[in-house]
Amino acid sequence: MRQALGRFASGVTIVTTADGPDEASVHGMTANAFTSVSLDPPLVLVSIANRARMNARILETGRYGVSVLARDQEPLSLHFAGVPQDPGPARFVWRGDVPLLDGALVHLACTVQASHPAGDHTLHIGYVDRLWYDHGQPLVFYTGSFQWLETTPQPDPWGF
């Protein structure tokens, strides 16, 4: 199953939450089980293993952030996945009470609307309270390794 589904290329995100107003209270994890659910209302979903500390923290705080990583943020992805790394200190940008990873291509600040058990994971559907984005090259995960997607800056094709 892992090898088959690993052939679906995905972006790489860091999911964050905080139970206080400072960086000492931030908890983050790497996740590629992330997807858009709805544009109206704006909803996204993260799938978190039940055994992961992040699962309990999202349930406690009722908030989470999603940072879509840029190509040069691979070391941070490994760090938040628990792989011993020294990526330097993680710098966060606070969007209200949600910490997000500085330098990411996209920031989403979300309020949990529903959490659904699904096998050994919980699906947390979040209402996107605020979002920010920038241009750049995304970090991509495919067949168990990081890849890069070369992009050419273009005006936003959707008109919003």
Side-chain angles (χ1 to χ4, degrees), residues 74-150:
E74 180 180 333
L76 288 167
S77 173
L78 292 168
H79 171 77
F80 284 101
V83 177
Q85 290 283 305
D86 184 16
R91 293 185 323 271
F92 295 98
V93 175
W94 289 80
R95 306 289 193 176
D97 59 352
V98 178
L100 294 141
L101 204 60
D102 190 29
L105 295 180
V106 175
H107 287 161
L108 303 171
C110 305
T111 300
V112 175
Q113 295 298 295
S115 296
H116 302 282
D120 60 357
H121 280 62
T122 298
L123 309 178
H124 298 283
I125 298 173
Y127 179 87
V128 179
D129 298 309
R130 305 264 323 261
L131 64 85
W132 301 261
Y133 65 93
D134 200 356
H135 297 284
Q137 296 179 347
L139 183 61
V140 178
F141 197 70
Y142 179 71
T143 62
S145 64
F146 293 106
Q147 307 289 325
W148 299 275
L149 181 64
E150 295 295 329

